[in-house]
Amino acid sequence: PLLYFRDLKVGTLDLAAADPETRKKLLDGEPVTVSRLFPHEPLRSSALRSARAIRDKARELAEERGIDTAMLAIGIATWANPFAAHRPTAPVLLRPATVVARDPAETDFVIEVSSEASVNPVLLRALDTQLGLRFGLDSLRDRAGQLRYPQVVERLREFAPAHVVDGFAISHRAMLGTFAVEPDAAVADLEALAPELDAHDVVAALAGDEQALRNAASHAPDRPLRLVLDADPAQTDVVAAVAPGRSLRVDAPPGTGRTQTIVNLVAEIVASGQRVLVVGSKRASLTALLDRLTSAGLDDVVLD
């Protein structure tokens, strides 16, 4: 959606037909209700369905992935790309938003948009990789250092004039939806770290390199393990393999004590004077880990 945005029947909310005065209040940062934005039928009922769908999706991603995705996208940039089947349609500015029900029956929703704006990072990456246009965010800010839509549009049109960049244009639109910038950040990290990853023994071992696998073979520690939760022999072997500083991958299905093993790993690593970073694909798994660390008396070593 950050490079090929398209209107969804209920997953996006276009503010083009909204009440102009109420829309201005929303863009100025005031909380407004959907019924005020769209006071007349059938637009109001359609907008309420979209607001509910956006709220539900944003809440799902926040609870499962721990990321905030409800945003107001302002402006759509497009240009001709001979190497792609479709023309890019990339939002220009992104402003975090919240959508909450006004009452338990969800007869209306309150939308509030943050004044903090960011330039779509996927747009900047596409302009760089597809068109060779590379410039810093500072060049898009106004004299006060703010990212304001008129200034950003003017600068982008200067950097990519239509007679140089085939068909470059920006349409003035404002759409509420769910947008995740984290995948682009992950891609940028992978590109920046590619040389290190390519030469890393752990990555080579995961790929099946025999020498790297031999280098990663575990060795028993020369001292007792510092376990804070009960562990069976297989779980103890995992902690024993990590204690000397070795790397390994454990394939542990649900119900095999994954969380308590991670708690024991954290205890062992922290007791050795080291730091440990725990990541998870779902927020719920991290919450369960935090609960187990608290039950083991280790909540004071956690920075969430």
Side-chain angles (χ1 to χ4, degrees):
L2 288 176
L3 185 58
Y4 294 100
F5 172 83
R6 61 187 180 92
D7 294 288
L8 303 176
K9 189 173 183 179
V10 294
T12 56
L13 179 59
D14 193 333
L15 301 184
D19 175 72
E21 184 178 344
T22 308
R23 181 176 57 210
K24 182 179 184 305
K25 290 181 179 180
L26 177 67
L27 295 176
D28 288 341
E30 294 185 32
V32 302
T33 60
V34 173
S35 60
R36 287 181 58 197
L37 275 170
F38 301 91
H40 307 296
E41 294 290 359
L43 292 179
R44 179 170 55 189
S45 295
S46 175
L48 287 171
R49 286 194 296 270
S50 295
R52 182 179 291 105
I54 293 168
R55 188 279 311 270
D56 291 346
K57 188 63 177 179
R59 185 164 60 184
E60 172 193 333
L61 292 170
E63 292 176 352
E64 290 197 1
R65 306 297 180 183
I67 58 178
D68 298 322
T69 56
M71 296 187 189
L72 183 70
I74 306 175
I76 293 289
T78 185
W79 61 93
N81 180 8
F83 303 104
H86 305 285
R87 291 173 64 95
T89 49
V92 176
L93 278 188
L94 300 172
R95 291 172 58 181
T98 57
V99 182
V100 296
R102 192 181 65 173
D103 54 72
E106 298 188 351
T107 59
D108 205 352
F109 291 87
V110 179
I111 302 174
E112 187 171 3
V113 178
S114 170
S115 59
E116 295 293 326
S118 61
V119 178
N120 177 4
V122 180
L123 169 62
L124 297 181
R125 177 179 292 272
L127 292 176
D128 178 13
T129 58
Q130 294 184 16
L131 305 176
L133 300 175
R134 180 175 298 180
F135 43 83
L137 280 178
D138 290 342
S139 60
L140 300 177
R141 301 181 187 275
D142 61 16
R143 293 183 178 179
Q146 302 296 316
L147 288 171
R148 302 189 184 280
Y149 179 68
Q151 178 84 10
V152 171
V153 169
E154 180 182 348
R155 293 292 173 82
L156 286 176
R157 286 173 172 166
E158 290 176 0
F159 292 134
H163 66 279
V164 175
V165 178
D166 186 18
F168 186 85
I170 298 176
S171 58
H172 304 309
R173 299 184 61 191
M175 302 80 57
L176 187 71
T178 52
F179 303 91
V181 300
E182 283 76 14
D184 184 70
V187 169
D189 282 348
L190 288 172
E191 289 181 350
L193 296 172
E196 295 179 42
L197 292 173
D198 191 48
H200 203 288
D201 277 346
V202 174
V203 177
L206 289 172
D209 181 82
E210 293 184 2
Q211 182 59 47
L213 285 170
R214 286 193 293 270
N215 294 341
S218 61
H219 297 277
D222 55 2
R223 52 171 174 72
L225 296 174
R226 290 160 287 202
L227 304 178
V228 294
L229 296 177
D230 291 338
D232 62 24
Q235 296 163 355
T236 303
D237 286 345
V238 172
V239 182
V242 173
R246 298 287 175 172
S247 300
L248 77 159
R249 173 181 179 271
V250 180
D251 187 1
T256 56
R258 293 181 299 189
T259 303
Q260 68 190 60
T261 302
I262 296 175
V263 170
N264 282 328
L265 283 168
V266 170
E268 175 64 37
I269 294 170
V270 172
S272 300
Q274 301 178 77
R275 292 176 294 179
V276 53
L277 172 67
V278 181
V279 297
S281 61
K282 291 193 175 183
R283 182 70 204 175
S285 62
L286 296 178
T287 300
L289 174 61
L290 290 174
D291 292 341
R292 296 300 293 272
L293 287 167
T294 300
S295 69
L298 292 176
D299 53 309
D300 59 332
V301 304
V302 175
L303 172 63
D304 182 6

